[in-house]
Amino acid sequence: MADEALVKNKQVVLKNYVNAGLPKESDMEIKEKSIQLKVPEGTKDAILVKNLYLSCDPYMRNRMKKLEDSYVPSFEPRLPISGYGVAKVVDSTHPEYKNGDLVWGTTGWEEYSLLRAPGLLFKIQHTDLPLTYYTGLLGMAGMTAYTGFYEICTPKKGEYVYVSAASGAVGQLVGQFAKLLGCYVVGSAGSKEKIDLLKNKFGFDEAFNYKEEPDLDAALKRYFPEGIDIYFENVGGKMLDAVLLNMRVHGRIAVCGMISQYNNDKPEATHNLMYIIPKRVRMQGFIVSDFYHLYPKYLEMVIPSIKEGKITYIEDVAEGIESAPTALIGLFIGRNVGKQLVVVSRD
């Protein structure tokens, strides 16, 4: 590839902050710039990557807001948005990366990205597994499921586990990890197709469609007559309130996300928090990046299970960077089935 080669670089750009309500495809646009396929002269510790796969994740909704105090910064209007992805190094002035290296981590939503001082990147060593897995199962979503379930909830064989948003990128893994440990697992999701997947593909003991349950407390009592030991929280709102009524003594709640609240102007109130006192429930929020030092340990655990067919992973694949805004918005209306990702390039 010629040093001075200039190529077109399509980018997904946020037009302006979306502080309330459901974001729309029209809040983003595809822009075309050009980029030189070389790290600029004199720029140290930088890499230029070709983005292959981009990950659509619920936390990105909050980054569309103007945030004052957050663990992750707001997107900058009129600039490419960023998120997790899988990429190939095209040029490098960084001692730890060379041309041709495959990496996953934070990159731009564009065809090529210049990453200066790339901190949150992991080299991909296991190329015998599908590269798309590094947007989910072997990337951030997998680490989120592993951290929340094993590190936060300290599960034991035979415990009763409930997972909301159970067919999503994280939930489908939490349920399978729990089954491998010998737990009783119930999941909820929002369509018949997703419920069938939970029971027939992912091996959940039971699953229910929360949209068909007028009384969530009654639904949980039906599936957990003796209560819930572990709740992996992905949705918040009315679901969390119902769960709090059904936790067992010394239950644990890992708070991973609250997707039901992300588009609200004001968050819904939680009414049943008092129940954590008599039940001695431990409820803990967590951010996966605090636990990335455990990534090698996670791979040791999960890769054999994948190769032995004990872990199944469903992906929802959108083709082309032009499809990225629609794919991202789909997360907030439950359009995706499994891990939502975007193919930018397959080579």
Side-chain angles (χ1 to χ4, degrees):
M1 206 170 277
D3 280 359
E4 303 305 317
L6 267 178
V7 295
K8 290 177 180 175
N9 188 28
K10 286 181 185 168
Q11 304 174 324
V12 180
V13 171
L14 182 68
K15 289 184 188 174
N16 216 326
Y17 294 121
V18 186
N19 287 315
L22 189 69
K24 304 181 293 294
E25 285 90 338
S26 58
D27 291 318
M28 292 168 273
E29 62 182 333
I30 306 294
K31 287 202 162 177
E32 194 173 276
K33 296 281 181 79
S34 58
I35 189 170
Q36 197 172 322
L37 291 183
K38 190 164 178 62
V39 174
E41 199 71 41
T43 307
K44 286 185 177 178
D45 294 336
I47 61 174
L48 185 77
V49 299
K50 180 178 184 178
N51 293 311
L52 306 177
Y53 305 103
L54 300 176
S55 172
C56 297
D57 296 297
Y59 82 93
M60 296 173 75
R61 169 63 188 97
N62 281 335
R63 298 190 69 191
M64 292 178 165
K65 301 176 182 176
K66 188 164 176 52
L67 301 170
E68 299 302 331
D69 181 25
S70 173
Y71 72 96
V72 64
S74 299
F75 295 136
E76 290 282 337
R78 295 172 293 285
L79 289 177
I81 67 175
S82 60
Y84 284 90
V86 174
K88 182 161 69 174
V89 178
V90 173
D91 190 38
S92 172
T93 59
H94 195 291
E96 291 177 25
Y97 299 96
K98 63 183 191 301
N99 292 12
D101 280 349
L102 290 164
V103 296
W104 75 268
T106 304
T107 188
W109 272 38
E110 53 190 347
E111 292 176 290
Y112 296 89
S113 294
L114 177 65
L115 305 176
R116 300 171 194 269
L120 201 55
L121 278 186
F122 298 86
K123 276 194 200 176
I124 294 174
Q125 313 288 0
H126 300 273
T127 52
D128 52 332
L129 293 165
L131 279 182
T132 55
Y133 279 10
Y134 290 90
T135 66
L137 170 55
L138 296 176
M140 186 268 280
M143 271 300 293
T144 302
Y146 174 77
T147 298
F149 185 62
Y150 289 105
E151 297 296 317
I152 307 295
C153 292
T154 55
K156 295 185 279 294
K157 183 179 178 180
E159 289 194 308
Y160 302 121
V161 177
Y162 174 49
V163 187
S164 56
S167 67
V170 174
Q172 59 174 291
L173 292 174
V174 175
Q176 291 181 82
F177 294 163
K179 285 308 298 175
L180 286 175
L181 194 63
C183 297
Y184 169 78
V185 187
V186 177
S188 60
S191 73
K192 183 183 184 303
E193 180 189 9
K194 292 176 181 180
I195 298 310
D196 289 345
L197 273 178
L198 292 177
K199 292 201 281 193
N200 303 324
K201 188 89 174 172
F202 300 136
F204 283 59
D205 294 290
E206 289 290 349
F208 66 92
N209 184 344
Y210 68 90
K211 293 176 182 174
E212 295 177 354
E213 299 290 347
D215 184 339
L216 292 171
D217 176 32
L220 291 174
K221 283 183 167 56
R222 198 162 72 238
Y223 291 105
F224 295 99
E226 295 180 40
I228 299 166
D229 290 299
I230 289 173
Y231 173 45
F232 199 99
E233 165 68 302
N234 287 310
V235 301
K238 293 178 178 63
M239 184 64 80
L240 175 58
D241 252 347
V243 168
L244 289 168
L245 296 172
N246 288 278
M247 292 300 292
R248 300 182 83 188
V249 172
H250 298 302
R252 287 86 72 207
I253 301 176
V255 185
C256 171
M258 293 194 177
I259 197 168
S260 73
Q261 304 301 298
Y262 294 165
N263 298 312
N264 292 352
D265 197 9
K266 289 181 180 172
E268 280 180 88
T270 303
H271 301 282
N272 295 327
L273 266 178
M274 69 188 109
Y275 289 91
I276 71 174
I277 303 165
K279 295 288 184 73
R280 285 84 98 194
V281 170
R282 178 165 54 81
M283 186 172 172
Q284 183 178 339
F286 70 100
I287 301 296
V288 67
S289 52
D290 293 344
F291 294 87
Y292 277 147
H293 60 283
L294 299 175
Y295 184 59
K297 184 180 164 190
Y298 170 60
L299 290 183
E300 275 177 35
M301 184 276 288
V302 80
I303 285 176
S305 294
I306 297 168
K307 291 184 173 177
E308 290 163 22
K310 292 177 181 174
I311 295 280
T312 300
Y313 202 61
I314 300 276
E315 297 174 321
D316 195 324
V317 180
E319 292 286 341
I321 197 163
E322 297 83 358
S323 68
T326 304
L328 180 57
I329 300 307
L331 290 181
F332 307 109
I333 54 174
R335 190 191 296 139
N336 61 302
V337 178
K339 168 66 200 171
Q340 183 68 65
L341 64 106
V342 177
V343 178
V344 182
S345 174
R346 294 185 188 275
D347 54 22

